[in-house]
Amino acid sequence: MENNKNAKELIDFIHQSPSTFHVVENMSVELTQAGFTPLDLRNAWNLKPGGKYFTVRNGSSLFAFIVGDTNPETSGFRIISTHSDSPTFKLKPSPEMMVEKRLLKLNTEVYGAPVLMSWLDRPLSIAGRVSLKGESALYPENRLVNINRPVAIIPNLAIHLNRAVNEGVELNKQKDMLPLLGIVHGDASEGFIIRMAAKELGVDEADILDFDLTLYDFQQGCIMGVGNEFISCPKLDNLASVHAGLKAILKAKPAKATQMLAVFDNEEVGSVTKQGAGSPVLRNLFERILFHLGKTGEALHRAIYSSFMVSADMAHGVHPNLVEKHDPVLHPIINGGPVIKVHAGQKYTTDGDSGAVFETICRKAGVPSQRFANRSDAVGGSTLGNISTGQLDMRCVDVGNPILSMHSVRELSGVDDHNYMIRALSCFYDMDK
């Protein structure tokens, strides 16, 4: 087994990134330290071939790139697309709810499609973005907050009060999944979250205008298994792909093609936001880079058709207790290498052409690869590839490392697979040198 250094770094990265905003903030720090120049979307840019840059949208999506040569119409772009978000619970406005005048719980809304039962009885915390009064009404001051200690829990109902619990229980998202925050007295519940955030940030409560706060599993991930072969961790879908892509672009050197890492937000809820893959944000950035290389018009279209995208999201590994839930032939296994995902209905963009490209990349990188398809009588999920190519119709392949317990509060992946993916994505960036 390869060194588990990358797995340990992944676990730390996820623990330090309790919200999409923290993901982007932590990536920004690493990129800046590596010599990438931050760019504001509202400012004029001055890009040069070989230059390393990154820009952020909404504080929750990020695009890092190394500008290629002055012939993008033939060199194209090499894009790795991932997403920063994971299923969770978002705090509603005025979320405080009192029970029996003492117990304070929070009114939340489910974000994405989490495995609800996995969130019960776990120490949870709260993190996200708080918007404060700014110099302009149009531009509030946005600050990140992380309570960074276990403050909430979604309690299960004792078996003595629900004897049928082990026969299967349907959890109601509005009733059963509200987290208990603590015991308070009197009117202390009113504005409790605002006060907690203000205290954490060291600001006046009256200066907080709004917030985007979510729950997260406070317990840090770990390496486990009889041979230390597994990674048990929250948010592997899809921060494992984000981390692998980040490692790859940090290692990348300037090449003929422009190399890009696109980290979108809101994949788990359909991607149709200004910072999601369904928006024009990637196409706008694509055109802007070409403009600074002196290319417009037909050169834009030539560059699109000379480009290639690797859509990196996680894949389903074969479940040891429920093998029958999988395709009868294709059984990706943890630590068996990156998975090339195919779907006749095009929920995955992979076709024979793009699958062959990634297979070649894996062989060149010296890593194994696997294939995944759903059972023909089962409806699977979708990912970034077909949404992104709806904006830029370039060749694309959907890939991901195999995991178990996808969308559970803790997922399970492989130490070797994370190393394999980093090597494959690094090879993708290097293929034109």
Side-chain angles (χ1 to χ4, degrees):
M1 182 176 293
E2 292 188 42
N3 192 295
N4 61 14
K5 177 177 179 292
N6 288 325
K8 291 179 178 178
E9 289 181 1
L10 169 62
I11 290 168
D12 288 340
F13 174 73
I14 291 176
H15 189 64
Q16 294 161 9
S17 304
S19 75
T20 56
F21 306 105
H22 289 85
V23 171
V24 168
E25 176 66 19
N26 290 331
M27 291 183 69
S28 299
V29 170
E30 286 202 53
L31 288 164
T32 301
Q33 291 174 345
F36 284 72
T37 300
L39 301 171
D40 191 318
L41 288 168
R42 296 174 296 172
N43 294 341
W45 291 0
N46 181 22
L47 307 181
K48 298 179 180 179
K52 299 181 177 183
Y53 308 94
F54 73 91
T55 191
V56 169
R57 187 75 170 106
N58 187 53
S60 60
S61 64
L62 180 146
F63 305 86
F65 55 95
I66 303 174
V67 180
D69 63 21
T70 56
N71 298 300
E73 57 267 60
T74 55
S75 301
F77 284 56
R78 303 292 175 262
I79 302 174
I80 298 169
S81 66
T82 65
H83 65 89
S84 62
D85 60 320
S86 301
T88 183
F89 296 81
K90 190 174 189 294
L91 272 62
K92 293 181 179 180
S94 303
E96 300 85 1
M97 300 175 68
M98 288 295 291
V99 179
E100 301 296 326
K101 300 181 180 180
R102 296 285 300 279
L103 299 175
L104 174 61
K105 64 181 183 179
L106 298 177
N107 193 15
T108 61
E109 188 171 6
V110 174
Y111 177 90
V115 178
L116 296 179
M117 68 180 70
S118 70
W119 284 78
L120 301 178
D121 303 322
R122 298 196 65 87
L124 306 174
S125 193
I126 301 169
R129 180 176 68 180
V130 173
S131 297
L132 310 169
K133 293 178 181 177
E135 295 182 2
S136 165
L138 196 58
Y139 297 104
E141 179 188 355
N142 292 317
R143 300 267 298 274
L144 303 192
V145 63
N146 178 14
I147 302 306
N148 202 26
R149 61 188 179 91
V151 294
I153 193 165
I154 304 173
N156 222 322
L157 182 64
I159 192 171
H160 312 84
L161 303 178
N162 183 10
R163 291 293 182 182
V165 64
N166 291 325
E167 299 171 15
V169 174
E170 182 178 355
L171 295 170
N172 183 285
K173 296 174 182 178
Q174 181 62 67
K175 184 175 179 62
D176 300 317
M177 300 308 298
L178 302 185
L180 174 65
L181 194 63
I183 297 174
V184 299
H185 302 276
D187 297 328
S189 66
E190 187 175 347
F192 192 93
I193 290 296
I194 294 290
R195 288 199 303 276
M196 186 166 62
K199 181 179 179 181
E200 193 70 28
L201 295 172
V203 301
D204 193 305
E205 297 171 30
D207 288 339
I208 296 180
L209 302 174
D210 211 334
F211 55 78
D212 298 288
L213 298 175
T214 54
L215 301 180
Y216 71 94
D217 180 13
F218 184 74
Q219 184 178 2
Q220 186 168 4
C222 66
I223 294 174
M224 60 164 293
V226 68
N228 288 324
E229 64 267 56
F230 298 132
I231 304 170
S232 172
C233 193
K235 301 184 180 183
L236 290 172
D237 176 17
N238 190 34
L239 294 191
S241 300
V242 170
H243 185 257
L246 177 62
K247 296 283 286 186
I249 202 164
L250 288 174
K251 292 179 180 179
K253 305 297 182 184
K256 293 179 181 180
T258 293
Q259 303 146 310
M260 179 182 291
L261 173 64
V263 182
F264 296 102
D265 192 9
N266 304 128
E267 188 274 346
E268 299 292 355
V269 291
S271 296
V272 287
T273 61
K274 63 185 180 300
Q275 59 274 0
S279 78
V281 61
L282 180 60
R283 185 181 182 91
N284 292 343
L285 185 56
F286 196 95
E287 293 179 358
R288 198 166 182 177
I289 294 171
L290 288 174
F291 173 81
H292 282 274
L293 292 174
K295 307 294 180 179
T296 57
E298 186 179 59
L300 165 65
H301 302 288
R302 293 179 65 193
I304 291 173
Y305 303 131
S306 297
S307 299
F308 195 93
M309 179 185 293
V310 175
S311 170
D313 206 345
M314 305 306 276
H316 296 292
V318 65
H319 196 291
N321 299 333
L322 296 164
V323 176
E324 68 275 10
K325 291 291 187 179
H326 300 263
D327 179 84
V329 176
L330 301 173
H331 291 170
I333 190 168
I334 289 179
N335 286 330
V339 178
I340 299 171
K341 302 186 285 187
V342 297
H343 187 262
Q346 293 299 292
K347 286 189 174 181
Y348 302 130
T349 57
T350 307
D351 53 24
D353 173 75
S354 63
V357 171
F358 195 77
E359 176 66 30
T360 302
I361 290 169
C362 288
R363 292 183 182 185
K364 186 176 179 181
V367 305
S369 65
Q370 308 180 82
R371 297 295 195 279
F372 170 83
N374 287 306
R375 282 178 58 101
S376 299
D377 56 0
V379 178
S382 59
T383 183
L384 294 164
N386 57 357
I387 298 172
S388 300
T389 54
Q391 296 292 327
L392 284 168
D393 54 327
M394 65 179 63
R395 297 158 72 204
C396 182
V397 63
D398 275 294
V399 305
N401 276 339
I403 64 173
L404 296 176
S405 307
M406 186 180 288
H407 286 200
S408 177
V409 74
R410 290 179 78 88
E411 299 162 324
L412 191 73
S413 67
V415 170
D416 281 351
D417 282 335
H418 194 55
N419 292 324
Y420 291 151
M421 185 61 80
I422 292 171
R423 285 161 56 185
L425 296 182
S426 295
C427 185
F428 172 62
Y429 280 146
D430 292 342
M431 61 191 300
D432 291 323
K433 295 179 182 176

